[in-house]
Amino acid sequence: MSVPQFLPWQLDQARAWLGNRDRFAHAWLIHGLAGIGKTRFALAAAAGLLCESPKDGLACGACSACQWLAAGNHPDLRRIRPDAIAALEGEDAESADATSSASKKTPSKDIRVEQLRSLHTWFNTATHRGGYRVAVLYPAHALNQVSANALLKVLEEPPEHTVFLLVSDAPDRLLATLVSRCRRLPLAVPERVQSAAWLEQQGIQTPDLWLDAAGGAPLKALEAAQSGEAACPQWLESLARMVAAPALPDPGPTADALEKLPVAVWVDTLQRWFVDLMLAAHNTPARYYPGLSKLSHQVGGAAAPQALADAARWLAQQRALAEHPLNAKLLAHTAAQRIIAACARCS
Ligand SMILES: [Zn+2]
């Protein structure tokens, strides 16, 4: 392991932010589009804050603090994230109450209140050479009501020398009183050239195609490119072909394809395609799936604008519930029917 590093497009902002530690706030909300590297930014920032001889605010990579960070066991750093994410990262959750029986259960998708309660002992332990103590909490929308209130209590009477870095795609979904306790640090979507160059360095052959499908978010683009799927999923292409054709469409194959995917994934894809359809209705080039441009223009140009807008709104509602779908199979079938109906020719 090595010390977490900033991504190339984050360096200028990171230096400007971390280079000035006078009256550094004790809680920051790092927010921006999903897939641009916010968690990476927060972890690299934590390294910069903990490093004993930072350069322009960034971790040196050589001091004893950096060596602890590289080994993943700096005592003054806590990563607070759902157990399910910790499991994906290949680590056991840093929870005080982890027992063998608890670990057999499905890992929690929430940040549990116990994770916040266990911080109090940490707050009462002296820091290494009197430096900072840094808690990186991601994603902040995984805080449930109870854990959000527990965090709020902590931030209302912040412990000394402690910096909280909260990471969120959707600050609007957080408890407003919690947000008001944090300084906001918005991260922008990186420039296209910089993202494309970085993706090429990661071995991605057609970075622009993937960046289009990911709305310009490079980490999301990389993940999709490495997933083995096409930039434009096959089921979407089939759906577009079907609704563009004169024959009566059959929702069956689309529903079957959606059923096999996580709800959030297919809802995201359909939401993007509907943006393209609505752009096509105004004769504007596709933003996400340029490969489907011709089909999107055919469909978007012939459908009723109101029907497209209604379906897009319905998809947005489903996206908000996607982490906890009541019945994923039923939802896939309902969606296939609604989408096909919305794409019907109005004349
Ligand atoms: Zn260092």
Side-chain angles (χ1 to χ4, degrees):
M1 267 172 83
S2 57
V3 180
Q5 306 271 324
F6 287 99
L7 290 156
W9 54 87
Q10 299 174 335
L11 284 167
D12 289 346
Q13 187 177 10
R15 287 195 186 102
W17 175 51
L18 292 170
N20 182 9
R21 307 267 179 95
D22 296 341
R23 291 193 299 256
F24 198 75
H26 71 272
W28 293 87
L29 176 60
I30 297 168
H31 62 97
L33 189 74
I36 58 172
K38 295 185 298 298
T39 301
R40 175 86 166 256
F41 184 98
L43 291 169
L49 290 167
L50 294 169
C51 171
E52 288 165 22
S53 49
K55 200 167 173 297
D56 298 336
L58 273 50
C60 73
C63 69
S64 63
C66 283
Q67 282 167 19
W68 278 339
L69 285 164
N73 57 8
H74 196 302
D76 297 330
L77 172 69
R78 282 289 168 95
R79 284 181 291 166
I80 306 163
R81 73 283 206 218
D83 296 344
I85 291 184
L88 284 177
E89 289 171 354
E91 285 178 36
D92 289 333
E94 293 168 17
S95 57
D97 64 331
T99 61
S100 55
S101 67
S103 63
K104 278 178 198 145
K105 285 193 299 194
T106 313
S108 173
K109 288 183 181 175
D110 287 356
I111 291 173
R112 292 169 298 111
V113 68
E114 293 81 5
Q115 290 175 279
L116 293 156
R117 288 193 184 131
S118 76
L119 293 177
H120 289 284
T121 15
W122 185 54
F123 297 148
N124 291 323
T125 317
T127 61
H128 174 67
R129 293 189 192 169
Y132 281 113
R133 190 186 280 124
V134 186
V136 182
L137 188 145
Y138 58 94
H141 64 251
L143 288 160
N144 56 37
Q145 206 176 352
V146 183
S147 52
N149 276 307
L151 178 62
L152 182 62
K153 282 220 173 64
V154 172
L155 297 185
E156 278 169 351
E157 285 175 50
E160 278 200 316
H161 307 299
T162 307
V163 175
F164 279 84
L165 303 176
L166 277 64
V167 177
S168 178
D169 304 338
D172 302 344
R173 277 162 58 195
L174 301 177
L175 198 65
T177 42
L178 191 60
V179 174
S180 72
R181 290 274 159 190
C182 302
R183 287 273 297 277
R184 279 176 173 246
L185 187 73
L187 302 192
V189 176
E191 301 277 345
R192 172 60 70 115
V193 252
Q194 216 167 11
S195 299
W198 179 78
L199 283 168
E200 268 172 2
Q201 281 170 15
Q202 316 302 313
I204 305 307
Q205 310 280 340
T206 50
D208 283 306
L209 215 58
W210 294 103
L211 281 168
D212 281 338
L219 272 70
K220 203 176 203 177
L222 179 65
E223 193 189 338
Q226 290 175 339
S227 72
E229 300 283 324
C232 171
Q234 188 56 51
W235 64 264
L236 180 61
E237 195 180 329
S238 308
L239 171 66
R241 274 187 204 295
M242 182 171 66
V243 290
L248 201 64
D250 168 17
T254 305
D256 292 345
L258 301 187
E259 235 183 73
K260 298 190 184 85
L261 297 167
V263 174
V265 170
W266 63 255
V267 174
D268 271 353
T269 303
L270 285 173
Q271 278 189 291
R272 289 191 206 111
W273 188 49
F274 266 70
V275 171
D276 280 359
L277 288 180
M278 290 188 279
L279 289 171
H282 295 95
N283 249 324
T284 308
R287 182 184 302 168
Y288 295 109
Y289 300 110
L292 296 181
S293 214
K294 205 170 154 225
L295 292 168
S296 298
H297 269 85
Q298 262 172 274
V299 176
Q306 191 58 47
L308 291 180
D310 288 347
R313 197 173 316 114
W314 182 79
L315 284 168
Q317 287 162 0
Q318 304 317 307
R319 185 64 187 83
L321 308 169
E323 309 298 336
H324 305 284
L326 290 177
N327 184 334
K329 185 174 173 169
L330 181 65
L331 185 59
H333 285 260
T334 311
Q337 282 167 358
R338 282 195 79 121
I339 296 314
I340 287 172
C343 292
R345 281 174 200 74
C346 62
S347 51

